[in-house]
Amino acid sequence: MIEDLKDFIKSKAIVPAERIGYLEPLRGFVEEYRPLDIISVNYDICIEQFCNTHRLSYRDGFDVEWNPKTFAAEHTDIRLYKLHGSVMWYQSDRGGYIKSPVKTEEGKIELLTGEKAENLMLYPMQKWDYAEPFLELMVRIKHFLESEECKFLIVVGYSFRDEYIIK
Protein backbone atom coordinates (compact mmCIF):
# COMPACT_ATOMS: atom_id res chain seq x y z
CA MET A 1 0.00 0.00 0.00
CA ILE A 2 2.88 2.41 0.78
CA GLU A 3 4.39 1.82 -2.65
CA ASP A 4 1.01 2.53 -4.29
CA LEU A 5 0.73 5.74 -2.27
CA LYS A 6 4.23 6.83 -3.32
CA ASP A 7 3.45 6.13 -6.98
CA PHE A 8 0.14 8.05 -6.71
CA ILE A 9 1.86 11.08 -5.14
CA LYS A 10 4.52 11.01 -7.83
CA SER A 11 1.94 10.91 -10.61
CA LYS A 12 0.22 14.00 -9.17
CA ALA A 13 3.43 15.91 -8.41
CA ILE A 14 4.74 15.95 -11.98
CA VAL A 15 3.15 19.24 -13.00
CA PRO A 16 3.08 20.34 -16.66
CA ALA A 17 4.47 23.80 -17.40
CA GLU A 18 1.08 25.08 -18.60
CA ARG A 19 -0.38 24.61 -15.10
CA ILE A 20 2.00 26.92 -13.22
CA GLY A 21 0.71 30.31 -14.38
CA TYR A 22 -0.33 31.13 -10.82
CA LEU A 23 3.38 31.45 -9.95
CA GLU A 24 3.83 34.40 -12.32
CA PRO A 25 4.07 36.95 -9.43
CA LEU A 26 7.28 35.24 -8.28
CA ARG A 27 9.09 36.90 -11.18
CA GLY A 28 8.91 40.26 -9.40
CA PHE A 29 10.30 38.78 -6.20
CA VAL A 30 13.14 37.15 -8.14
CA GLU A 31 14.00 40.47 -9.79
CA GLU A 32 14.02 42.35 -6.49
CA TYR A 33 15.59 39.76 -4.16
CA ARG A 34 17.82 37.64 -6.40
CA PRO A 35 18.62 35.02 -5.30
CA LEU A 36 15.15 34.36 -3.94
CA ASP A 37 15.10 31.69 -1.24
CA ILE A 38 12.08 29.38 -1.44
CA ILE A 39 11.41 26.80 1.25
CA SER A 40 8.95 24.09 0.25
CA VAL A 41 7.54 20.97 1.86
CA ASN A 42 5.96 19.90 -1.45
CA TYR A 43 7.27 17.06 -3.61
CA ASP A 44 6.04 18.62 -6.85
CA ILE A 45 8.13 20.28 -9.55
CA CYS A 46 6.17 23.56 -9.81
CA ILE A 47 9.12 25.82 -8.97
CA GLU A 48 11.41 23.82 -11.23
CA GLN A 49 8.89 24.17 -14.08
CA PHE A 50 8.55 27.88 -13.34
CA CYS A 51 12.33 28.29 -13.62
CA ASN A 52 12.47 26.27 -16.81
CA THR A 53 9.62 28.24 -18.40
CA HIS A 54 11.16 31.63 -17.53
CA ARG A 55 14.77 30.60 -18.11
CA LEU A 56 15.72 31.17 -14.48
CA SER A 57 18.49 29.28 -12.75
CA TYR A 58 17.73 27.47 -9.53
CA ARG A 59 19.79 25.49 -7.05
CA ASP A 60 18.31 22.74 -4.91
CA GLY A 61 21.49 21.19 -3.53
CA PHE A 62 21.96 18.80 -6.44
CA ASP A 63 23.97 18.88 -9.60
CA VAL A 64 23.36 15.22 -10.41
CA GLU A 65 24.37 14.01 -6.95
CA TRP A 66 23.64 15.73 -3.64
CA ASN A 67 26.09 18.61 -3.40
CA PRO A 68 25.00 21.39 -1.01
CA LYS A 69 27.85 23.60 -2.28
CA THR A 70 25.66 24.32 -5.31
CA PHE A 71 23.59 26.70 -3.14
CA ALA A 72 26.56 29.10 -3.20
CA ALA A 73 26.78 29.19 -7.01
CA GLU A 74 26.95 32.63 -8.58
CA HIS A 75 24.24 33.85 -10.95
CA THR A 76 21.48 31.92 -9.22
CA ASP A 77 17.93 33.21 -9.44
CA ILE A 78 16.29 30.87 -6.91
CA ARG A 79 17.61 28.72 -4.07
CA LEU A 80 15.05 25.99 -3.53
CA TYR A 81 15.02 24.12 -0.21
CA LYS A 82 12.70 21.09 -0.47
CA LEU A 83 12.38 19.90 3.12
CA HIS A 84 10.39 16.77 2.34
CA GLY A 85 12.21 15.80 -0.84
CA SER A 86 11.10 15.74 -4.45
CA VAL A 87 9.73 13.43 -7.10
CA MET A 88 13.08 13.99 -8.84
CA TRP A 89 15.25 12.99 -5.86
CA TYR A 90 16.34 9.42 -5.26
CA GLN A 91 18.38 7.43 -2.77
CA SER A 92 20.38 4.59 -4.27
CA ASP A 93 20.77 1.22 -2.64
CA ARG A 94 24.45 2.13 -2.19
CA GLY A 95 23.55 5.15 -0.06
CA GLY A 96 24.02 7.96 -2.57
CA TYR A 97 21.54 10.72 -3.32
CA ILE A 98 20.85 11.74 -6.90
CA LYS A 99 18.46 13.88 -8.91
CA SER A 100 16.88 12.52 -12.08
CA PRO A 101 14.58 14.78 -14.10
CA VAL A 102 13.30 11.82 -16.11
CA LYS A 103 9.54 11.33 -16.04
CA THR A 104 8.56 7.97 -14.62
CA GLU A 105 5.38 6.94 -12.87
CA GLU A 106 7.26 4.46 -10.69
CA GLY A 107 8.88 5.40 -7.38
CA LYS A 108 11.78 3.02 -8.01
CA ILE A 109 14.28 3.21 -10.86
CA GLU A 110 17.40 1.41 -12.00
CA LEU A 111 20.48 3.52 -12.68
CA LEU A 112 22.93 2.93 -15.50
CA THR A 113 25.43 1.78 -12.87
CA GLY A 114 23.12 -1.10 -11.96
CA GLU A 115 22.14 0.52 -8.66
CA LYS A 116 18.49 0.54 -7.63
CA ALA A 117 17.11 3.83 -6.39
CA GLU A 118 13.83 4.94 -4.89
CA ASN A 119 12.21 8.29 -4.39
CA LEU A 120 13.61 10.38 -1.59
CA MET A 121 10.46 11.82 -0.07
CA LEU A 122 9.48 12.15 3.58
CA TYR A 123 5.80 11.44 4.05
CA PRO A 124 3.58 12.97 6.73
CA MET A 125 4.22 11.46 10.13
CA GLN A 126 7.21 9.49 8.77
CA LYS A 127 10.27 9.22 10.95
CA TRP A 128 13.45 10.74 9.62
CA ASP A 129 15.05 7.73 7.99
CA TYR A 130 17.45 9.91 6.03
CA ALA A 131 20.03 12.19 7.62
CA GLU A 132 21.04 13.70 4.30
CA PRO A 133 20.01 15.78 2.54
CA PHE A 134 17.17 16.73 4.90
CA LEU A 135 19.36 17.48 7.89
CA GLU A 136 21.63 19.72 5.82
CA LEU A 137 18.60 21.57 4.41
CA MET A 138 17.19 22.17 7.90
CA VAL A 139 20.51 23.57 9.14
CA ARG A 140 20.83 25.88 6.12
CA ILE A 141 17.27 27.14 6.51
CA LYS A 142 17.72 27.76 10.23
CA HIS A 143 20.85 29.82 9.58
CA PHE A 144 19.15 31.72 6.78
CA LEU A 145 16.02 32.54 8.82
CA GLU A 146 18.17 33.80 11.71
CA SER A 147 20.40 35.91 9.45
CA GLU A 148 20.15 39.56 8.48
CA GLU A 149 19.86 38.37 4.88
CA CYS A 150 16.29 37.20 5.60
CA LYS A 151 14.04 40.23 5.19
CA PHE A 152 10.66 38.48 5.42
CA LEU A 153 9.03 35.05 5.45
CA ILE A 154 5.81 34.33 3.58
CA VAL A 155 4.01 31.10 4.46
CA VAL A 156 1.41 29.79 2.03
CA GLY A 157 -0.77 26.72 2.50
CA TYR A 158 1.19 25.08 5.29
CA SER A 159 -0.48 23.52 8.36
CA PHE A 160 2.60 23.47 10.66
CA ARG A 161 2.08 19.82 11.58
CA ASP A 162 5.79 18.97 11.35
CA GLU A 163 7.22 19.29 14.86
CA TYR A 164 10.83 19.56 13.61
CA ILE A 165 9.92 22.52 11.38
CA ILE A 166 8.03 24.31 14.15
CA LYS A 167 11.06 24.05 16.43
Side-chain angles (χ1 to χ4, degrees):
M1 189 165 129
I2 290 174
E3 293 305 317
D4 290 342
L5 178 61
K6 289 179 180 181
D7 291 343
F8 175 77
I9 290 170
K10 184 165 184 169
S11 73
K12 297 299 180 190
I14 300 172
V15 181
E18 59 270 8
R19 294 191 54 208
I20 53 131
Y22 68 94
L23 292 173
E24 214 42 51
L26 277 179
R27 291 179 74 186
F29 284 101
V30 171
E31 289 299 317
E32 188 167 344
Y33 299 105
R34 184 176 285 122
L36 180 65
D37 291 282
I38 297 177
I39 302 166
S40 175
V41 293
N42 297 336
Y43 315 119
D44 63 52
I45 59 167
C46 293
I47 299 299
E48 293 90 329
Q49 286 284 43
F50 174 79
C51 290
N52 185 48
T53 300
H54 297 289
R55 292 183 167 81
L56 299 171
S57 64
Y58 76 92
R59 303 289 179 248
D60 63 357
F62 284 85
D63 27 37
V64 172
E65 293 182 342
W66 172 243
N67 179 6
K69 293 177 184 172
T70 64
F71 285 117
E74 290 186 30
H75 311 295
T76 298
D77 296 306
I78 292 176
R79 290 186 295 228
L80 179 59
Y81 305 94
K82 297 187 90 168
L83 290 181
H84 287 172
S86 172
V87 295
M88 292 194 299
W89 296 4
Y90 293 85
Q91 181 179 23
S92 80
D93 57 2
R94 294 186 191 156
Y97 303 100
I98 62 162
K99 180 169 85 172
S100 176
V102 176
K103 184 176 180 179
T104 173
E105 301 298 323
E106 301 283 321
K108 294 183 179 180
I109 60 173
E110 183 174 350
L111 306 178
L112 294 174
T113 60
E115 295 171 80
K116 306 282 191 253
E118 73 176 89
N119 271 124
L120 185 57
M121 295 187 282
L122 282 178
Y123 296 95
M125 312 310 273
Q126 180 182 7
K127 292 181 182 175
W128 275 46
D129 293 333
Y130 312 102
E132 284 291 328
F134 303 117
L135 182 59
E136 175 73 24
L137 290 172
M138 288 297 296
V139 169
R140 285 179 177 272
I141 290 166
K142 181 180 185 316
H143 287 289
F144 173 71
L145 291 174
E146 293 173 344
S147 75
E148 303 226 354
E149 185 181 350
C150 182
K151 295 180 179 33
F152 53 88
L153 173 67
I154 300 170
V155 178
V156 178
Y158 180 60
S159 65
F160 289 95
R161 290 187 317 172
D162 301 286
E163 192 63 35
Y164 63 92
I165 294 176
I166 294 169
K167 288 180 181 178

